[in-house]
Amino acid sequence: MKARVEVHIQLKPGMLDPQGETLEHALTAIGYEGVRSMRVGKWITFEIEGDESDAVESQVEEMCDRLLANPIIERYEYHVMREES
Amino acid sequence: MKARVEVHIQLKPGMLDPQGETLEHALTAIGYEGVRSMRVGKWITFEIEGDESDAVESQVEEMCDRLLANPIIERYEYHVMREES
Amino acid sequence: MTQVPIGIVRFPGTNCDQDVFDAVAAVERACPVWLWHKETDLQGAKGVVLAGGFSYGDYLRAGAIARFSPIMEEVVRFAVDGGPVLGICNGFQILTEAGLLPGALMRNDRLTFVCRPQSLKVETADTLFTRQYERGQVISFPVAHAEGNFAADPAMIDRLEDECRVVFRYVDDRGGKGLDANPNGSINDIAGVINERGNVLGLMPHPDRAMDRMLGSADGRGIFQGLVEAAA
Amino acid sequence: MTVTLHDPLVNPEIVAAHGLTTDEYEQICALLGRDPNLTELGVFSLMWSEHCGYKHSRARLADLPSTGPQVVQGPGENAGAIDIGEGLAIVFKMESHNHPSAVEPYQGAATGVGGILRDVFTMGARPIALLNSLRFGELDDPHVRYLFRRVVAGIGDYGNCVGIPTVGGEVVFDDAYRGNPLVNAMCVGILAQNDLTRGVASGPGNAVYVLGASTGRDGIHGASLLASAELADDTAESRPTVQVGDPFSEKLLLEATLELIESGAAIGIQDMGAAGLTSSSSEMATRAGTGIEFDVSRVPRREPDMSPYEVLLSESQERMLVVADPHREPQLMTIADKWDLACTRIGSVTDDGIWRVFEDCEEVCAIPVEALTEAVPTYVREVEPPAYLASLHAWSPRPGWLDCVEPLAALATLISAPSLASKRWVFEQYDHHVRTATVIGPGADAAVLAIKGTQRGLALTIDGNGRYVYCDPYRGGALAVAEAARNLVAVGATPLAITDCLNFGNPEKDDIYYQFVEALRGIADACRALDTPVVSGNVSFYNQSSVGAVYPTPTIGMVGLIQDIEKRIYPGRAAVGDRLLLVGGDGAHLGASSFLKEVLGEVAGRPPTVDLKAERMNAEAILALNEAGLIGTCRDVGDGGLAVAAAELMFGLESGLGVELEIPGRAGPHALLFGEDGARYVVTVAEDDESRAAELLAELEVVTRACGRVTGDAAYHVVDVGSANRSVLQASSETSIPNAMRQTESNR
Ligand SMILES: Nc1ncnc2c1ncn2[C@@H]1O[C@H](COP(=O)(O)OP(=O)(O)O)[C@@H](O)[C@H]1O
Ligand SMILES: [Mg+2]
């Protein structure tokens, strides 16, 4: 079994995102008005190979919790796309 | 017209991504074997308000080209989701 | 003796502005002039320095936002007209983002900020900025950056090498390719490059921090002397 | 007077949930002449918390010496200030961010740096240096490695971005800190004495402004409450309160604040730290003896629907409260605009001594200012020495206990123990060169900065030894000050004053309270003897977790002056044949030492006795020797004793050089090599100067012994004991932390 995984990570809602704020100002300053609520997060992609296909989701979730995201300040989403093999 | 925009940015294929590599090693070391080709990119989300709905896509593309991504090292994708208003 | 005005650009977040100001002021005849990012006039500057630091916090990518400042239009025009422009550290990053220099500066391969004295080899003494040095000379400037990993496509790298536009290379204390000589993973150990016309130099290490033996090195003086002479 | 009571009525459960006792609640009612409403109760609970109100420490802190001719501003302001001549003052303070760093190490440490920077520039001083003092569990724990890496990154990224060099600090690893790391940050600034600005809300009728970031729900009941209660295992509960640092905004705020102060448009200014708007406004009014009123609906928000309670208590970062003459508002706004910062008028200074808050013109709080600041209950109690001390002190070595310990192997163990090993892995992540004044950076006994425009130099250090304080609180407190002073003297500086950060467990427990009181007594005695008053500081209690309390860890940040920077003593200035002198003479005290801990794995005995007279005399002797031009280089004898001091001295020498140590044959070599008795230094003197140096030292009645020489063979010898290869020793010091950090980590 082989799968492609995408993880999206962002600061939790309500937490200050200085990058997003600064970027939003910069865009406005160079003429892109109307940009709001900008947040800069991470996008992590990888492939994973394993035996039992069921376990992939729970494994990815664990990886997010333990290493990829910081659950204290970030929220994450993931998608697992199984590939034919 | 109001739209939600998501931009995905990643180092171009072929460019070394030390952050992805390091994370991949770290995951392997704590027991998640089988993880490959990890890349760490950016995920930028925002809302945009404008008059002419056609122009949004081209505006976002321009923002990506000019500021959000560096075309020398990065590639990007974006999605514009129009909202009812 | 006429004074040579040298403009030092201050973006929001620039933090080596005063260090560069002092370094320029230490050169005979030089007269440092502040250039605020919101201005649209170089105030008669005959040379321009983009100082190091963290313009706009280095948010998104180092140098990405600063290059849109009003003053940058003037800096680009000045450079295109052949005026001498020096970009140090964040200044180098801004110059690449602005397209005045090729390539890009990616995150250090070690993934952390690195601050240390750094030995450099002068690869060419045949530029406006390096006439005070000899080719092959090993000098020391401190480095202090998180995104100094120079990258460009292979064709551009070949061109830079062929045209002798790699001005400085990271080396170990003895001038060799030691194990830990390269602080950031930069390709071909590139520390600084110059544009085709030879009037725009960008480098990651800080000559502005190498102006006084008491601080570890005075090797940086030559660069500022070169700049002022070129501007005079 | 009518107070709007649209909040639910306060009941005993609510009072308890706010961490107030019934007694305290009754005092609040008496001060108000009525029951508080819920918003007011929240305000009291924060202002009367340990973190803001210093309930358990305030009375004891009064015993610290805080005056002297060098003191320009003592405790009570945002930071202390001392005179360094030529009309200049140095402003400095240290602060802890222990609990936020335990919860989220990167942001916790970063916002700690942000806060201490603001404390300094709010006084009108330009920050010129940062230092930090860190404590973690042992590095073999994957979660400890995670905390260590992220704390260092957070400190580095914040200071680097703002552009203030981090020039020194310390890191100690001990299991005592496993559940509760310590992160103390110190900032040092400089100003012309005339420009010193205080956090005062003076002049009724003057306007009150918020400058900087907008207000969100950050840290509501965050830092203050976190810092006032033990860390439970479910720290997940306190997670939403984590604040995110924005160093770019901080840099703008720094420049705008200094410009504002220089323009004369600001009368008073203070950063919003713990308990945000509430503490800054009430403290500014208290200092000026005025009242203050403002409308929370005018405060710029980051989030919709925030209640007055949330706005008042938010700990959003990078914000300042400014008091200014309303006629100068245009000037204020021009400066704010220049730096792209929001600046909003929210209220004014009054003359009735009341802290009054409105929401959309409706009054929601009306509290006498002093009830929030001065009327905080304080607790003092007498406690007995805890039983554990007696058993530690009963320790005595068994005969022959050291027979199997080979001294040079012990040295290698010590040198590569993470607490004593090179901290390059840490300080290479900090910009220590920016501002081009760092003459001696991290890695020496103390950092030295050039004071531009003068011949002077400033020496800075941070020191503390929790194990010592645990084993003997009084001695430990005094020795922390003495060690800091030795660090400064070793670079040729005269110590001037200190700031402190007092990290302890739960003060409501008797043994902890005893540690606190006794350590403070030791600090006070040492500061008096060494003429280094305490001009600022911070108390951090409740540093404990399910694995117990941390070692009681007061850390001392000390500032010293070098009149002529050319006369600094610097590492590495020695040549083959130079003599090594042990100023202060031999010591043999191994109780509570690094040798016991790192080599034998024991924490026992007492730290060395404190001889403050000798500390002072020997320090003066080093400075006199240096003044006479007789010192090559110098190292104070601290952790690991003479053996480690000599090794560190050697590491600073040109490659190719080594040292040869001689120790008197009578006792066993271990105690002489590794004893940590105080008031001692190793110096090198040129061969030709040896007799002059000896004469001078004899004249000053300082016990001194020739203890060896600098050699040309890149080796470390101890005569009649053995030798080791310099590069092997040095490599083991340099690689210890990087190697440990190559292992995997865990965020839990
Ligand atoms: N957290 C830190 N930040 C910056 N520098 C540090 C840090 N920890 C240690 N250092 C540097 O490493 C050197 C050695 O520290 P330490 O072993 O505590 O020295 P000493 O025993 O002389 O006080 C010091 O010069 C100090 O400046
Ligand atoms: Mg120390």
Side-chain angles (χ1 to χ4, degrees), chain D residues 170 462-463 483 487 639:
Chain D
E170 50 165 7
I462 273 192
D463 244 293
E483 162 80 19
N487 283 177
D639 296 344

Side-chain angles (χ1 to χ4, degrees), chain A residues 11-19 21-22 25 39 42 62-73, chain D residues 102-105 107 146 214 216-218 239-246 248 302-303 318 745-748:
Chain A
L11 284 168
K12 285 183 178 167
M15 301 212 73
L16 175 72
D17 178 359
Q19 288 209 70
E21 257 185 35
T22 305
H25 287 151
R39 313 283 282 177
K42 279 183 204 155
E62 226 179 74
M63 292 195 291
C64 288
D65 272 333
R66 288 184 62 187
L67 198 67
L68 303 182
N70 178 354
I72 294 170
I73 55 173
Chain D
V103 174
E104 208 304 289
Q107 298 295 347
Y146 167 77
S214 54
R217 290 195 173 86
D218 311 89
R239 283 170 184 184
T241 64
V242 171
Q243 306 143 33
V244 175
D246 180 359
F248 171 54
R302 206 173 68 228
E303 291 175 73
E318 292 94 18
E745 288 165 26
S746 160
N747 65 4
R748 297 182 272 222

